[in-house]
Amino acid sequence: MVYVTLGTAILSEILATTAMKYSDGFSRLWPSVGTVVGYLIAFALLAQTLKTMSIGTAYAIWSGAGTAVIAAIGMAFLGESTSALKIFGVLLVIAGVVALNLDGAH
């Protein structure tokens, strides 16, 4: 169940970050509201996750997954450049998360 909570927190953070892109510097109401609500949900769920999962493991998964997915969204849907170096960098982030989790999640 802790991974479901963390996964939902990550999804909420990804949606909030994507909404922030569309908020135009918080000058557009609904994307700005989506950003704030998304981050509130994300941090509330992350806090619940930390009750039973170590902070290092939770934050590694949170930041690694968020970074990788946001980078992919940017390259696939928002017109950001794609290069072998960027893809390699995302793979390194994922490898780091896996390495930190080899010791166990609790």
Side-chain angles (χ1 to χ4, degrees), residues 40-102:
L40 285 172
I41 293 168
F43 281 106
L45 292 172
L46 180 60
Q48 293 303 308
T49 299
L50 294 177
K51 288 180 176 181
T52 57
M53 183 182 283
S54 70
I55 193 168
T57 299
Y59 202 76
I61 295 169
W62 160 283
S63 60
T67 299
V69 173
I70 287 295
I73 288 171
M75 289 184 276
F77 302 109
L78 301 176
E80 295 180 6
S81 65
T82 302
S83 68
L85 186 58
K86 273 190 177 181
I87 293 168
F88 180 66
V90 169
L91 292 174
L92 284 175
V93 169
I94 294 167
V97 170
V98 170
L100 286 170
N101 281 291
L102 289 176

Side-chain angles (χ1 to χ4, degrees), residues 19-28 31-32:
M20 189 185 306
K21 172 69 175 171
Y22 290 104
S23 76
D24 196 27
F26 291 108
S27 64
R28 296 180 61 216
S32 299

